[in-house]
Amino acid sequence: MQQTTEQQLRARIAELEIHNQQLHEDKQHYQWLAESTTDLISRHARDGTFLYASNAARDLLGYEPDELIGVSAYQLFHPADLSDLLNKSPRVYYHAGFYQQTYRFRAKSGHYVWFETTSRTRRDPATGELIDILCVSRDVGRRIQVEAHRERLAQVVESTSDYVLFVAEDGSIFSANEAARRRFNLPRSTQAVPLSQVYSDASLSLLNKVVFPAVARYGSWSGELEMRGHDGLIPVISVVQAHRGRGAEPGHHSLLNHDIRLRKHAEAQARRHQEQIAHANRLATLGELTSNIAHELNQPLGAIANYANGALLTLQANPELPAQKLAHPLTQIDHQVQRLAERLRHIRRFIRTGGTQSRRVELFGVIEAAWQLCQWRYQQANLDIRQSHSATNIYVMADPVALEQVFVNLLLNALEASRQQPNARHVHLSVEENTRNTLIVHVDDQGPGVPDEQQAEVFNAFHSTRAEGLGLGLAISRSLMEAMGGALSVSHSPLFSGARFSARLRCA
């Protein structure tokens, strides 16, 4: 019996030794884990004094672990964060003996490190007295910086006057900034609002058919859309971006909308101002062409008078003459009346005000109309216009009145430049097919030319080489050409010693 008891005792001792060995190995393992982790593991007394600190203190704070033993952690807290902890700020999370706080902790060098610490208090089961506090702390400085950056961006988005919308995959608005909420009466909550509530039908169709597919492929899109305001449609420049990256929900988009009503209004005013100046220039041009207008009107009026007098004399000589015998003079009178009416319509069309509206126009018809307006002035100066072009029935995209005004300005400028030279006899007009989609009308004069250093200045408003000139003709002509999608330039003439003005137009 005694031997059996001794065997049992030895077996029990062996089991205890194995258990102790296992405990020692587990202790070494846990010690190795604590010393190897990049998080700071620490144990504190009830007053916050360090009782233990892992090796991570060396990398995170610059302290050797032994340097922290006996030091109160509260002495190293940032004062504002220590106040949060002692006053149980809502920013200190607590649940069932666990505390979690994000705070600043002073390193050995004096700078503060952002820590996120999870603490576990241990208490005496019998008395409830605090025994110690176990803490696991990690450096969250980079995360804090990212969150602060995001918060700054969120504040900018919230305070901007642009309308910022966040749209889910189904096309509903789940969030918006303050400006968008006020303008479109959107809720602050996450209640979904359809895009049709804030965008016009045409813009909504563009978003669904073009914009969102383009953003899915390229990541972003920008262009002009229209939004529904309580006082009417609002033109906006929109930037649409897809949400990409870690944590981004698929199919989500951000829509930044900048109100351009003021810009549109300013552009409309500028266009009206330009149209008024162009109209004034046409009136001034007609003032210079008064003699030509009188000539254009006198010719049909004189012909009408001659035919009418002839018919009257014929009737007086032979009152019984059949009406058929008067068909020829009456036909000629009708022809001249039609001609007179056409010339009046042309003059009225030329002086009317209105914006440029490009359409398909026969080029040489416009050139001929401009030439007829300038012809009398050329005859008075004993000059002629020579035209050279091989093609006929060329059509361009232009406003006929605006293009005629450009040609009249160029022809009159060429006339004034050429008449200064005693041997000048003509101005040359030619058409060059530049590319498949454009052509250039050249007007070459025999004047003194435009020096290289002045070629950029001649298109400035109020720049004139004539004492009586206003300096508006070329400036307006360039503006009109650009409004029609073309261009106007000046260079040295390859034909004469004068200048060449070139008007580039889009072919129709």
Side-chain angles (χ1 to χ4, degrees), residues 44-109:
H44 302 265
R46 67 179 65 183
D47 61 354
T49 302
F50 275 94
L51 301 177
Y52 165 78
S54 66
N55 288 334
R58 188 180 300 114
D59 296 328
L60 296 177
L61 298 172
Y63 287 104
E64 292 296 327
D66 292 343
E67 293 182 87
L68 292 173
I69 305 303
V71 177
S72 174
Y74 297 150
Q75 296 178 3
L76 303 179
F77 267 65
H78 189 280
D81 299 327
L82 178 61
S83 176
D84 287 342
L85 176 63
L86 298 179
N87 295 324
K88 298 296 185 293
S89 167
R91 286 183 288 184
V92 181
Y93 174 77
Y94 171 78
H95 177 71
F98 283 92
Y99 291 86
Q100 189 176 66
Q101 182 184 10
T102 302
Y103 60 97
R104 288 158 290 184
F105 200 76
R106 191 171 69 248
K108 187 175 183 179
S109 62

Side-chain angles (χ1 to χ4, degrees), residues 352 355-363 366 395-404 406-407 439 480-481 483-486 504-508:
R352 71 176 173 87
T356 58
Q357 295 181 353
S358 296
R359 57 183 175 84
R360 191 169 184 264
V361 175
E362 204 277 314
L363 175 63
V366 179
Y395 290 88
V396 295
M397 292 300 296
D399 182 286
V401 176
L403 185 58
E404 183 178 339
V406 172
F407 290 151
L439 56 82
L480 292 175
M481 289 299 300
M484 294 183 289
R504 190 177 74 246
L505 292 161
R506 293 178 298 149
C507 295

